[in-house]
Amino acid sequence: MKPTLPLILAMMLTAPAFARDNTPAGSATAGSAGSAAVNGQSASTLGAGAVSNSPTSSSQAMGMGASAAGDNARTRSAVHGNNNLNGNAMAMAHEGGDMARSHTVCHDRSDSASCKTKTMAHEPGSQPEKSTSEGTATIQ
Amino acid sequence: MTRLSMAAFLMCLAATPVFAQASTSVRAGNLSGTATAGVNNGPTDNDRDHDQQVARGPRTDDTRDCDSRSVTVHNGNSSASASVSTSPGGSSTVAGGGSPGSHTEFFGCDAPHNRSTR
């Protein structure tokens, strides 16, 4: 039985670590971005989120950005929350019926980070052009 | 140590969690963003260069036709960070946040000699 004790100690030191509340240890980052443009109106948004868990601590960070150019350009960005972060970024520019719009939403959870961006460009007489991009990472 | 114990020990070593660094960079139009998570040994030369490039003024909200702006978020133990920056032109906003203990720093466009934190 002599090898048992060192073995147990070794297992305690090296076993896969799980942070508080059974959160898996590791790191995850995710981001998404998008742009839309039509007839001089352009809008771009992006978001990037990071989650890092160690056996003793957990940390999250998120950045959001929005940019628009053209007539009637509007942008808005925000990050809310403490342990679960939620981010929003919106950009829009329009003139008459021409409109470019982009919207990004990001979430940082205890074991994952995800971002999703939707864009739309529209001009009169045409169907709106839409796109979606998404990034997700989960700590295994 | 028996052969079985040695094998178990080696398996434990193999199962040791690796806190590798994960990083994501995204770009759209005149926006760029980066998120990094995992063991961080402090700012790199690239981080410092980027910081110098974007450190231009305090936090502001929506502003038109100004210089670039950015936000950086560093957690207290530097294990998670995110940054977003814009280049000049048009209307732009940035926002950042982190878990408790994080440090968020904004760089705006109206007062080129100040930086702000919250």
Side-chain angles (χ1 to χ4, degrees), chain A residues 90-115:
Chain A
M90 185 279 295
M92 181 175 69
H94 68 91
E95 180 190 27
D98 298 326
M99 181 170 72
R101 187 176 190 276
S102 182
H103 184 205
T104 298
V105 177
C106 288
H107 302 287
D108 272 358
R109 296 292 179 254
S110 61
D111 62 348
S112 65
S114 65
C115 290

Side-chain angles (χ1 to χ4, degrees), chain B residues 16-65:
Chain B
T16 302
V18 178
F19 300 113
Q21 196 171 50
S23 182
T24 298
S25 295
V26 287
R27 179 177 289 273
N30 60 348
L31 293 167
S32 63
T34 301
T36 304
V39 175
N40 191 337
N41 296 319
T44 64
D45 290 340
N46 285 339
D47 293 334
R48 293 190 192 94
D49 291 345
H50 181 260
D51 193 56
Q52 289 173 357
Q53 289 171 6
V54 300
R56 294 288 184 274
R59 173 190 177 197
T60 59
D61 292 323
D62 193 355
T63 304
R64 289 170 178 269
D65 301 324

